[in-house]
Amino acid sequence: RHHHPGLHRSIYPILIGAPEPVDSKGYPFTGNFFVDGSAAALRGLPDKVSKPTMAAVTAFLDKNGVACAAGSPRRTVAQAVKDLFAVQGAQLWNHGELAPE
């Protein structure tokens, strides 16, 4: 299958919290990305709509005959990233609690 250079096919963020101390019962796992301070960088995301990004997304959707969801043009950068991380990503602090397959 031919791929176009620069075409973004998927995203799968890996969310890694702070490492647990060697002497803790959580060792060798990591903390919860969202509550241990690791997500501090998310607080620096702009809480405003990226007009150039929304224009590009809307043009892409229009070109492909897909309607843009009603609330999407009003989503801020911070909202979009936080929503993405909430539903998609490998939450590595949970790996010690997962049942074997």
Side-chain angles (χ1 to χ4, degrees):
R1 184 172 187 180
H2 180 68
H3 294 281
H4 301 282
L7 180 64
H8 185 79
R9 289 245 181 246
S10 64
I11 182 170
Y12 197 79
I14 298 175
L15 310 174
I16 303 172
E20 292 287 340
V22 175
D23 59 348
S24 77
K25 80 173 197 172
Y27 183 82
F29 307 116
T30 62
N32 184 316
F33 176 86
F34 292 104
V35 298
D36 72 4
S38 298
L42 297 180
R43 290 193 294 270
L45 294 171
D47 198 24
K48 64 180 185 177
V49 175
S50 171
K51 291 180 182 178
T53 301
M54 283 312 307
V57 168
T58 302
F60 176 81
L61 293 175
D62 287 346
K63 176 182 166 186
N64 290 284
V66 178
C68 190
S72 294
R74 295 185 302 279
R75 300 206 53 77
T76 68
V77 172
Q79 288 172 323
V81 172
K82 287 176 184 175
D83 287 351
L84 172 69
F85 282 0
V87 298
Q88 183 177 3
Q91 300 178 16
L92 291 185
W93 62 89
N94 289 334
H95 76 282
E97 301 169 13
L98 297 175
E101 292 186 19

